[in-house]
mmCIF file of all heavy atoms in Angstrom:
data_model
loop_
_atom_site.group_PDB
_atom_site.id
_atom_site.type_symbol
_atom_site.label_atom_id
_atom_site.label_comp_id
_atom_site.label_asym_id
_atom_site.label_seq_id
_atom_site.Cartn_x
_atom_site.Cartn_y
_atom_site.Cartn_z
ATOM 1 N N ASN A 96 -186.383 -2.190 1.325
ATOM 2 C CA ASN A 96 -185.056 -2.478 0.781
ATOM 3 C C ASN A 96 -184.104 -2.990 1.872
ATOM 4 O O ASN A 96 -183.047 -2.407 2.141
ATOM 5 C CB ASN A 96 -184.469 -1.245 0.084
ATOM 6 C CG ASN A 96 -184.366 -0.051 1.011
ATOM 7 O OD1 ASN A 96 -184.844 -0.100 2.148
ATOM 8 N ND2 ASN A 96 -183.750 1.016 0.535
ATOM 9 N N THR A 97 -184.535 -4.056 2.533
ATOM 10 C CA THR A 97 -183.703 -4.719 3.537
ATOM 11 C C THR A 97 -184.138 -6.183 3.654
ATOM 12 O O THR A 97 -185.287 -6.504 3.379
ATOM 13 C CB THR A 97 -183.828 -4.036 4.914
ATOM 14 O OG1 THR A 97 -183.010 -4.722 5.856
ATOM 15 C CG2 THR A 97 -185.251 -4.065 5.395
ATOM 16 N N ARG A 98 -183.214 -7.030 4.057
ATOM 17 C CA ARG A 98 -183.540 -8.434 4.293
ATOM 18 C C ARG A 98 -183.571 -8.769 5.780
ATOM 19 O O ARG A 98 -183.609 -9.939 6.148
ATOM 20 C CB ARG A 98 -182.512 -9.330 3.583
ATOM 21 C CG ARG A 98 -182.587 -9.243 2.061
ATOM 22 C CD ARG A 98 -181.662 -10.245 1.406
ATOM 23 N NE ARG A 98 -181.735 -10.199 -0.038
ATOM 24 C CZ ARG A 98 -182.644 -10.851 -0.772
ATOM 25 N NH1 ARG A 98 -183.541 -11.601 -0.160
ATOM 26 N NH2 ARG A 98 -182.646 -10.754 -2.077
ATOM 27 N N GLN A 99 -183.547 -7.756 6.608
ATOM 28 C CA GLN A 99 -183.609 -7.973 8.042
ATOM 29 C C GLN A 99 -184.934 -8.643 8.416
ATOM 30 O O GLN A 99 -186.016 -8.111 8.125
ATOM 31 C CB GLN A 99 -183.472 -6.639 8.780
ATOM 32 C CG GLN A 99 -183.601 -6.730 10.287
ATOM 33 C CD GLN A 99 -182.430 -7.484 10.917
ATOM 34 O OE1 GLN A 99 -181.314 -7.419 10.416
ATOM 35 N NE2 GLN A 99 -182.695 -8.185 12.004
ATOM 36 N N PRO A 100 -184.927 -9.815 9.055
ATOM 37 C CA PRO A 100 -186.171 -10.496 9.424
ATOM 38 C C PRO A 100 -187.031 -9.645 10.356
ATOM 39 O O PRO A 100 -186.540 -9.086 11.338
ATOM 40 C CB PRO A 100 -185.689 -11.777 10.128
ATOM 41 C CG PRO A 100 -184.302 -11.989 9.613
ATOM 42 C CD PRO A 100 -183.729 -10.622 9.389
ATOM 43 N N GLY A 101 -188.314 -9.542 10.032
ATOM 44 C CA GLY A 101 -189.263 -8.807 10.868
ATOM 45 C C GLY A 101 -189.397 -7.341 10.537
ATOM 46 O O GLY A 101 -190.373 -6.711 10.944
ATOM 47 N N CYS A 102 -188.442 -6.780 9.813
ATOM 48 C CA CYS A 102 -188.482 -5.336 9.531
ATOM 49 C C CYS A 102 -189.694 -4.978 8.671
ATOM 50 O O CYS A 102 -190.418 -4.021 8.966
ATOM 51 C CB CYS A 102 -187.191 -4.904 8.838
ATOM 52 S SG CYS A 102 -187.158 -3.142 8.401
ATOM 53 N N THR A 103 -189.944 -5.741 7.625
ATOM 54 C CA THR A 103 -191.061 -5.445 6.721
ATOM 55 C C THR A 103 -192.395 -5.531 7.461
ATOM 56 O O THR A 103 -193.274 -4.669 7.287
ATOM 57 C CB THR A 103 -191.056 -6.412 5.529
ATOM 58 O OG1 THR A 103 -189.819 -6.272 4.823
ATOM 59 C CG2 THR A 103 -192.206 -6.121 4.584
ATOM 60 N N ASN A 104 -192.550 -6.554 8.303
ATOM 61 C CA ASN A 104 -193.809 -6.716 9.036
ATOM 62 C C ASN A 104 -194.043 -5.579 10.022
ATOM 63 O O ASN A 104 -195.168 -5.072 10.157
ATOM 64 C CB ASN A 104 -193.811 -8.050 9.786
ATOM 65 C CG ASN A 104 -193.952 -9.235 8.857
ATOM 66 O OD1 ASN A 104 -194.476 -9.103 7.757
ATOM 67 N ND2 ASN A 104 -193.472 -10.390 9.282
ATOM 68 N N VAL A 105 -192.985 -5.155 10.697
ATOM 69 C CA VAL A 105 -193.119 -4.064 11.664
ATOM 70 C C VAL A 105 -193.460 -2.755 10.962
ATOM 71 O O VAL A 105 -194.339 -2.000 11.418
ATOM 72 C CB VAL A 105 -191.811 -3.921 12.480
ATOM 73 C CG1 VAL A 105 -191.839 -2.640 13.299
ATOM 74 C CG2 VAL A 105 -191.614 -5.114 13.401
ATOM 75 N N CYS A 106 -192.806 -2.489 9.851
ATOM 76 C CA CYS A 106 -193.084 -1.255 9.105
ATOM 77 C C CYS A 106 -194.495 -1.258 8.529
ATOM 78 O O CYS A 106 -195.187 -0.237 8.543
ATOM 79 C CB CYS A 106 -192.052 -1.091 7.992
ATOM 80 S SG CYS A 106 -190.370 -0.799 8.590
ATOM 81 N N PHE A 107 -194.927 -2.401 8.019
ATOM 82 C CA PHE A 107 -196.289 -2.484 7.470
ATOM 83 C C PHE A 107 -197.323 -2.245 8.563
ATOM 84 O O PHE A 107 -198.318 -1.536 8.348
ATOM 85 C CB PHE A 107 -196.501 -3.852 6.830
ATOM 86 C CG PHE A 107 -197.872 -4.023 6.237
ATOM 87 C CD1 PHE A 107 -198.150 -3.557 4.958
ATOM 88 C CD2 PHE A 107 -198.894 -4.640 6.960
ATOM 89 C CE1 PHE A 107 -199.417 -3.703 4.412
ATOM 90 C CE2 PHE A 107 -200.158 -4.786 6.421
ATOM 91 C CZ PHE A 107 -200.424 -4.323 5.149
ATOM 92 N N ASP A 108 -197.114 -2.817 9.738
ATOM 93 C CA ASP A 108 -198.056 -2.635 10.843
ATOM 94 C C ASP A 108 -198.082 -1.186 11.304
ATOM 95 O O ASP A 108 -199.129 -0.690 11.747
ATOM 96 C CB ASP A 108 -197.664 -3.555 11.999
ATOM 97 C CG ASP A 108 -198.647 -3.472 13.152
ATOM 98 O OD1 ASP A 108 -199.789 -3.912 12.976
ATOM 99 O OD2 ASP A 108 -198.267 -2.954 14.226
ATOM 100 N N HIS A 109 -196.947 -0.488 11.196
ATOM 101 C CA HIS A 109 -196.887 0.909 11.617
ATOM 102 C C HIS A 109 -197.645 1.810 10.648
ATOM 103 O O HIS A 109 -198.390 2.706 11.079
ATOM 104 C CB HIS A 109 -195.429 1.359 11.721
ATOM 105 C CG HIS A 109 -195.271 2.809 12.061
ATOM 106 N ND1 HIS A 109 -195.522 3.306 13.325
ATOM 107 C CD2 HIS A 109 -194.875 3.871 11.298
ATOM 108 C CE1 HIS A 109 -195.300 4.602 13.333
ATOM 109 N NE2 HIS A 109 -194.913 4.985 12.120
ATOM 110 N N PHE A 110 -197.458 1.604 9.351
ATOM 111 C CA PHE A 110 -198.078 2.475 8.364
ATOM 112 C C PHE A 110 -199.501 2.043 8.004
ATOM 113 O O PHE A 110 -200.274 2.846 7.490
ATOM 114 C CB PHE A 110 -197.219 2.526 7.092
ATOM 115 C CG PHE A 110 -195.919 3.247 7.284
ATOM 116 C CD1 PHE A 110 -194.728 2.554 7.357
ATOM 117 C CD2 PHE A 110 -195.894 4.623 7.420
ATOM 118 C CE1 PHE A 110 -193.517 3.216 7.540
ATOM 119 C CE2 PHE A 110 -194.690 5.301 7.611
ATOM 120 C CZ PHE A 110 -193.498 4.589 7.669
ATOM 121 N N PHE A 111 -199.865 0.789 8.252
ATOM 122 C CA PHE A 111 -201.219 0.290 7.998
ATOM 123 C C PHE A 111 -201.760 -0.370 9.274
ATOM 124 O O PHE A 111 -201.911 -1.591 9.322
ATOM 125 C CB PHE A 111 -201.219 -0.719 6.844
ATOM 126 C CG PHE A 111 -200.864 -0.133 5.516
ATOM 127 C CD1 PHE A 111 -199.554 -0.117 5.086
ATOM 128 C CD2 PHE A 111 -201.855 0.403 4.705
ATOM 129 C CE1 PHE A 111 -199.225 0.416 3.860
ATOM 130 C CE2 PHE A 111 -201.530 0.940 3.468
ATOM 131 C CZ PHE A 111 -200.214 0.958 3.042
ATOM 132 N N PRO A 112 -202.027 0.410 10.324
ATOM 133 C CA PRO A 112 -202.509 -0.189 11.575
ATOM 134 C C PRO A 112 -203.830 -0.926 11.410
ATOM 135 O O PRO A 112 -204.073 -1.935 12.054
ATOM 136 C CB PRO A 112 -202.651 1.014 12.519
ATOM 137 C CG PRO A 112 -202.756 2.194 11.619
ATOM 138 C CD PRO A 112 -201.945 1.880 10.408
ATOM 139 N N VAL A 113 -204.709 -0.398 10.536
ATOM 140 C CA VAL A 113 -205.974 -1.060 10.209
ATOM 141 C C VAL A 113 -206.173 -0.946 8.702
ATOM 142 O O VAL A 113 -205.995 0.135 8.128
ATOM 143 C CB VAL A 113 -207.172 -0.434 10.939
ATOM 144 C CG1 VAL A 113 -208.453 -1.205 10.619
ATOM 145 C CG2 VAL A 113 -206.946 -0.398 12.434
ATOM 146 N N SER A 114 -206.540 -2.034 8.071
ATOM 147 C CA SER A 114 -206.725 -2.028 6.626
ATOM 148 C C SER A 114 -207.934 -1.185 6.227
ATOM 149 O O SER A 114 -208.951 -1.146 6.935
ATOM 150 C CB SER A 114 -206.903 -3.462 6.125
ATOM 151 O OG SER A 114 -207.266 -3.481 4.764
ATOM 152 N N HIS A 115 -207.818 -0.505 5.084
ATOM 153 C CA HIS A 115 -208.950 0.243 4.536
ATOM 154 C C HIS A 115 -210.175 -0.660 4.390
ATOM 155 O O HIS A 115 -211.300 -0.271 4.718
ATOM 156 C CB HIS A 115 -208.583 0.823 3.164
ATOM 157 C CG HIS A 115 -207.642 1.974 3.217
ATOM 158 N ND1 HIS A 115 -206.334 1.852 3.621
ATOM 159 C CD2 HIS A 115 -207.826 3.284 2.896
ATOM 160 C CE1 HIS A 115 -205.744 3.041 3.548
ATOM 161 N NE2 HIS A 115 -206.616 3.925 3.116
ATOM 162 N N ILE A 116 -209.952 -1.858 3.869
ATOM 163 C CA ILE A 116 -211.043 -2.773 3.570
ATOM 164 C C ILE A 116 -211.817 -3.146 4.830
ATOM 165 O O ILE A 116 -213.060 -3.155 4.845
ATOM 166 C CB ILE A 116 -210.493 -4.042 2.881
ATOM 167 C CG1 ILE A 116 -209.982 -3.692 1.478
ATOM 168 C CG2 ILE A 116 -211.551 -5.124 2.802
ATOM 169 C CD1 ILE A 116 -211.064 -3.158 0.556
ATOM 170 N N ARG A 117 -211.102 -3.449 5.909
ATOM 171 C CA ARG A 117 -211.783 -3.835 7.147
ATOM 172 C C ARG A 117 -212.523 -2.650 7.775
ATOM 173 O O ARG A 117 -213.615 -2.824 8.339
ATOM 174 C CB ARG A 117 -210.774 -4.425 8.125
ATOM 175 C CG ARG A 117 -210.236 -5.788 7.666
ATOM 176 C CD ARG A 117 -209.162 -6.318 8.593
ATOM 177 N NE ARG A 117 -208.694 -7.617 8.153
ATOM 178 C CZ ARG A 117 -207.753 -7.807 7.236
ATOM 179 N NH1 ARG A 117 -207.169 -6.755 6.665
ATOM 180 N NH2 ARG A 117 -207.387 -9.027 6.883
ATOM 181 N N LEU A 118 -211.947 -1.469 7.670
ATOM 182 C CA LEU A 118 -212.635 -0.285 8.180
ATOM 183 C C LEU A 118 -213.900 -0.002 7.372
ATOM 184 O O LEU A 118 -214.950 0.320 7.937
ATOM 185 C CB LEU A 118 -211.697 0.926 8.139
ATOM 186 C CG LEU A 118 -210.738 1.099 9.318
ATOM 187 C CD1 LEU A 118 -209.822 2.283 9.082
ATOM 188 C CD2 LEU A 118 -211.507 1.283 10.615
ATOM 189 N N TRP A 119 -213.813 -0.112 6.047
ATOM 190 C CA TRP A 119 -214.988 0.108 5.210
ATOM 191 C C TRP A 119 -216.068 -0.931 5.482
ATOM 192 O O TRP A 119 -217.248 -0.613 5.494
ATOM 193 C CB TRP A 119 -214.598 0.087 3.728
ATOM 194 C CG TRP A 119 -214.010 1.374 3.264
ATOM 195 C CD1 TRP A 119 -214.276 2.620 3.755
ATOM 196 C CD2 TRP A 119 -213.035 1.559 2.237
ATOM 197 N NE1 TRP A 119 -213.523 3.570 3.082
ATOM 198 C CE2 TRP A 119 -212.763 2.943 2.151
ATOM 199 C CE3 TRP A 119 -212.367 0.687 1.370
ATOM 200 C CZ2 TRP A 119 -211.871 3.470 1.229
ATOM 201 C CZ3 TRP A 119 -211.477 1.216 0.459
ATOM 202 C CH2 TRP A 119 -211.222 2.599 0.382
ATOM 203 N N ALA A 120 -215.662 -2.187 5.677
ATOM 204 C CA ALA A 120 -216.641 -3.240 5.974
ATOM 205 C C ALA A 120 -217.377 -2.930 7.283
ATOM 206 O O ALA A 120 -218.614 -3.028 7.356
ATOM 207 C CB ALA A 120 -215.949 -4.597 6.058
ATOM 208 N N LEU A 121 -216.627 -2.555 8.317
ATOM 209 C CA LEU A 121 -217.250 -2.204 9.599
ATOM 210 C C LEU A 121 -218.153 -0.981 9.454
ATOM 211 O O LEU A 121 -219.250 -0.927 10.020
ATOM 212 C CB LEU A 121 -216.162 -1.948 10.641
ATOM 213 C CG LEU A 121 -216.629 -1.602 12.054
ATOM 214 C CD1 LEU A 121 -217.476 -2.725 12.638
ATOM 215 C CD2 LEU A 121 -215.444 -1.310 12.959
ATOM 216 N N GLN A 122 -217.710 0.000 8.679
ATOM 217 C CA GLN A 122 -218.504 1.202 8.454
ATOM 218 C C GLN A 122 -219.820 0.875 7.761
ATOM 219 O O GLN A 122 -220.890 1.373 8.161
ATOM 220 C CB GLN A 122 -217.697 2.200 7.628
ATOM 221 C CG GLN A 122 -218.426 3.509 7.353
ATOM 222 C CD GLN A 122 -217.597 4.453 6.507
ATOM 223 O OE1 GLN A 122 -216.513 4.107 6.045
ATOM 224 N NE2 GLN A 122 -218.101 5.646 6.287
ATOM 225 N N LEU A 123 -219.779 0.044 6.716
ATOM 226 C CA LEU A 123 -220.995 -0.309 5.986
ATOM 227 C C LEU A 123 -221.967 -1.090 6.866
ATOM 228 O O LEU A 123 -223.185 -0.912 6.772
ATOM 229 C CB LEU A 123 -220.634 -1.127 4.739
ATOM 230 C CG LEU A 123 -219.988 -0.344 3.598
ATOM 231 C CD1 LEU A 123 -219.493 -1.288 2.511
ATOM 232 C CD2 LEU A 123 -220.984 0.655 3.010
#
């Protein structure tokens, strides 16, 4: 809930450092 440039990308990288999908692919 902000329009500050870069805020959404930084928050997403913090809460999703590695995607589930990529971790599962590497695991398989």
Side-chain angles (χ1 to χ4, degrees):
N96 58 353
T97 180
R98 293 186 179 275
Q99 177 68 32
C102 178
T103 300
N104 288 336
V105 169
C106 293
F107 180 84
D108 183 68
H109 176 73
F110 291 106
F111 294 91
V113 183
S114 172
H115 287 67
I116 291 298
R117 291 176 179 85
L118 276 176
W119 280 331
L121 181 60
Q122 181 181 5
L123 287 172

